[in-house]
Each structure stands twice: as C-alpha cells, then as structure tokens.
Amino acid sequence: MSRHFAGLLLFFLLVATAAEAADWYVDVSAVEGGDGSMESPWRDIHDATRTAVAGDRIFVAPGIYESTRRITVGSQTRRALLVLPDGVEVIGEAAATTILQAPATDGPLIFGITSSDSGRSTLVTGLQVRGACFQGINLRNASVTVRDVEVRIDLVGTSSTAVDVRDGSDPLFESVTIDGGHSGLFVEFGSTGTYRNCTVTYHPNEGLGISQANPRFFDCRFEGAGRDLLVLNQGSRPTFSNCSFGSGNRWLIRVASGYSTGDVIDLGRNRWPTSDVDQLELWTLDAKDQGSLGAVVNFL
C-alpha cells in the first residue's frame, strides 16, 4: 500500500468516524415519547446516556431533573442522577439553570454524577447537583473533564461527601464549586487529577482529604472545615500552587499516616489565614508534634 493511499484511507476513516457522532437532546418539559432529536427531545436524561456512544454529545435544556438510575458499585446497589458514558459530552445550559435534583429517599444511596473506567474526552459541563446525594460526584478509575459544575448537596447520613475521586482516577476539574455534605473533596486510592479555579466551601467534617494520592491544585479556594481543613494520609504528595486556605476548627492541616521520618510536605506558594508561621504550625499536626507521623509541613 502506497503512503498516499494509506493517508487517504486514514483521512476517510476519520471523516467517517466524525460523521457517525450524534447529538442528542433532553428537555424535562418536553412531551413524552420523544426520540432524542432537537425537534423531539427526551424528557429523561437516562434515555440519552443509555443511547449515546463515544463521540456523541448530549445537550440538556434548563430545568430540574429528578429521575435516578440504578447502578451497582462493587456489591452495593446505588442510584445515580447522571451516569457518564465513556467518551460522551453532557452539556447543560448553565449550573444555575440546569439542575440534577436528588430526591429524599429511604432506598439506596444516591450519587449525583458518576463515572467509571472513562477517559478525558468524557465531559460534563454547565450542570448543578443538589439535594439528598450521598456523593455529589463519584469517580472510579475515571479521567473525565468536569467544567463549570456546582455540587450543593444536603447532609446525608454521617459520611456524605460532596466529591469522591478514587481508584486511580485522573480527572480535570475546572471552575467547580464543591458545597454541602459532611466532607468536601476526597482524592484517594491511587488517584491524581488536576483541579483549577475550584472552590471547596465550609464543611462540618473535613474540607479536603487526600489518601494515597497525588492531585494537583491551581488557583483553588478551601474555605474552612468544622474539623480538619486538609488531611494528608498514606504518603500522599499533593501539589498546591496559588491556592487560598481558610481554617479548621480542630486542625488546619493534619498529617495522618504513611510517611517516613524526615519527609517534607511542601505547601509553599499559597495563601494562609495568617502570615505568622508560628501560628500556622500551632494549627498543624505533623511530625513536630508526633514523631511517628514522619512528615513535617513546610509553609514557606
């Protein structure tokens, strides 16, 4: 096969693939019996996510979407407001107007947005998650893109988390507001991820928990927590750059476990509730307080 012919074949394959991508439409105010077209959208977002394949886009009209879909996570039954298919873009008009509303229920715990085994081309944008979610966003081995999304959930049980990124996930979060739940953001179990211009608001329990994970934060705000604002566990090595931190009612930063003696966690180049390093150290639990913790925190 000549190079010229091979190049033409690749070009036509790419064009054919692009041509096969479809746009689907969802509008909760539409009449029943739609086919997902612009002229006759589906009412239920799950009709779209069950139909869409990689490369497709789902456009979600303004409104409040309350229907849930049963999923199995491990051996547990859960319900979800939005299950992101791999490679599919889900696009709402804006977080203020396009809302996934979790109803109060005695049934299985509810995730807001969830995805597993999905790549960076998987996108969700312009949506708000609110209501009785056990987790507003739950990612498992997912490297999705989350942009211009608000998570504003209720307190559910004693361990609800606004966002849980776990099991080797490597997402990109941009301009995401994380509010509600007992804890704000957990990044854990081999996960990484890039978080830009995100806000984690005040939470009754922990603001940000990082365990066996190495996430990267840029220009983010962590406003405060009822217990510990930042918990570092299992040798985690997060990166923070130009971020601002509020305070915790127990600890501003707590080093938990999994570090070797002499480890230094560098948290310089950020903004703290005070410029007094001695005071910051009083608000921090690390190896200076308990030698068995191994690591010390550097604020400079």
Side-chain angles (χ1 to χ4, degrees), residues 53-73:
V53 297
D56 289 359
R57 298 183 298 179
I58 299 171
F59 293 92
V60 186
I64 298 176
Y65 297 82
E66 297 184 275
S67 66
T68 60
R69 172 178 165 185
R70 283 185 176 268
I71 61 174
T72 301
V73 179

Side-chain angles (χ1 to χ4, degrees), residues 25-275:
Y25 297 85
V26 180
D27 188 341
V28 71
S29 64
V31 298
E32 292 284 0
D35 59 9
S37 65
M38 182 183 295
E39 298 76 16
S40 182
W42 284 305
R43 286 176 54 88
D44 192 331
I45 199 168
H46 305 299
D47 289 330
T49 56
R50 287 189 180 100
T51 303
V53 297
D56 289 359
R57 298 183 298 179
I58 299 171
F59 293 92
V60 186
I64 298 176
Y65 297 82
E66 297 184 275
S67 66
T68 60
R69 172 178 165 185
R70 283 185 176 268
I71 61 174
T72 301
V73 179
S75 60
Q76 300 293 320
T77 298
R78 296 284 184 259
R79 292 164 61 190
L81 292 163
L82 173 60
V83 181
L84 292 176
D86 185 26
V88 171
E89 298 183 4
V90 179
I91 303 167
E93 181 193 63
T97 60
T98 312
I99 298 166
L100 306 176
Q101 173 78 46
T105 177
D106 294 328
L109 296 172
I110 294 176
F111 293 156
I113 299 169
T114 186
S115 189
S116 62
D117 303 317
S118 49
R120 182 73 82 237
S121 61
T122 311
L123 167 71
V124 58
T125 184
L127 295 174
Q128 179 183 157
V129 180
R130 73 184 189 191
C133 284
F134 175 65
Q135 293 179 355
I137 297 178
N138 170 272
L139 302 180
R140 307 176 309 282
N141 189 33
S143 299
V144 304
T145 300
V146 182
R147 182 178 297 127
D148 297 319
V149 167
E150 296 180 6
V151 178
R152 302 186 183 277
I153 63 172
D154 301 337
L155 298 178
V156 177
T158 58
S159 57
S160 58
T161 303
V163 176
D164 188 18
V165 177
R166 60 189 296 132
D167 303 338
S169 293
D170 181 24
L172 172 62
F173 277 50
E174 295 181 327
S175 300
V176 176
T177 298
I178 299 172
D179 190 8
H182 284 271
S183 297
L185 169 61
F186 282 170
V187 184
E188 51 192 347
F189 307 134
S191 296
T192 53
T194 300
Y195 306 78
R196 297 184 184 277
N197 193 35
C198 296
T199 299
V200 181
T201 62
Y202 184 92
H203 288 80
N205 192 12
E206 296 174 359
L208 173 60
I210 304 175
S211 181
Q212 195 183 332
N214 302 305
R216 303 168 296 273
F217 298 91
F218 303 91
D219 304 303
C220 294
R221 295 174 56 201
F222 305 95
E223 294 185 345
R227 295 181 68 189
D228 309 323
L229 179 59
L230 171 59
V231 179
L232 301 169
N233 201 3
Q234 293 300 310
S236 296
R237 299 286 184 181
T239 299
F240 296 89
S241 180
N242 197 36
C243 295
S244 65
F245 291 81
S247 60
N249 283 347
R250 185 171 66 173
W251 300 106
L252 169 62
I253 300 171
R254 177 167 66 88
V255 176
S257 66
Y259 293 90
S260 300
T261 301
D263 279 352
V264 176
I265 301 171
D266 182 8
L267 298 181
R269 303 170 301 283
N270 295 289
R271 299 183 299 280
W272 303 97
T274 177
S275 59

